[in-house]
Amino acid sequence: IIAKKYPGEVERISLNKNTNPAVYNVEVVHDQALVTVTLDADSGQLISEEKKEIPAGNVLITRGKAVEIALEQLRGEVDNVSFEHTDDGGYYLVEIEQDNEDGDDVEAVFQIHAITGKILSVDWDD
């Protein structure tokens, strides 16, 4: 349903069963905007949509690009990727786990700016 109306890269999709009716919340990058759509989980009916324009000259990097940036810093398995919207374009959180042969596994969460692709922070857990 979302792909037909908003072709682009889905940044986040979640199911909220705590509402009546249960809903899907979807964020997709489409035509230089982040579109947040809420759908009835049973019928697929559109409940709401909100479009936030990305400031001119700025380009929201894709989820895949954020993963690529994080993997350049730490090779391993990507456990989770999430997107957080903020007034300055938002950021991705990319969680990577690296299994080392000596049993000393390393985990890190990279915060990557969604416009610039700059690594804002790294939270290490070893």
Side-chain angles (χ1 to χ4, degrees):
I1 295 169
I2 299 296
K4 287 180 185 176
K5 186 167 184 176
Y6 298 108
E9 181 157 347
V10 173
E11 297 301 324
R12 183 179 68 89
I13 186 167
S14 62
L15 174 62
N16 185 350
K17 294 181 180 179
N18 295 327
T19 60
N20 189 15
V23 297
Y24 282 107
N25 295 303
V26 182
E27 290 181 350
V28 64
V29 176
H30 175 72
D31 288 341
Q32 292 298 317
L34 180 66
V35 181
T36 304
V37 181
T38 303
L39 298 171
D40 182 304
D42 293 323
S43 69
Q45 180 179 2
L46 179 69
I47 295 173
S48 69
E49 60 186 313
E50 179 183 354
K51 189 174 186 179
K52 292 186 180 178
E53 297 294 328
I54 298 169
N58 294 329
V59 177
L60 190 68
I61 66 170
T62 65
R63 176 187 197 101
K65 181 63 177 173
V67 168
E68 183 181 312
I69 292 167
L71 286 172
E72 287 174 0
Q73 302 300 310
L74 178 66
R75 291 283 175 213
E77 181 179 326
V78 176
D79 283 344
N80 188 34
V81 181
S82 60
F83 178 81
E84 298 294 328
H85 187 274
T86 63
D87 290 339
D88 70 342
Y91 58 88
Y92 293 93
L93 293 174
V94 180
E95 185 177 327
I96 297 176
E97 182 175 349
Q98 183 182 60
D99 295 327
N100 295 324
E101 292 178 11
D102 61 2
D104 191 21
D105 298 345
V106 176
E107 290 183 32
V109 178
F110 293 84
Q111 181 183 15
I112 300 172
H113 195 276
I115 301 292
T116 65
K118 178 181 175 187
I119 297 173
L120 300 173
S121 69
V122 181
D123 190 13
W124 295 93
D125 182 22
D126 33 49

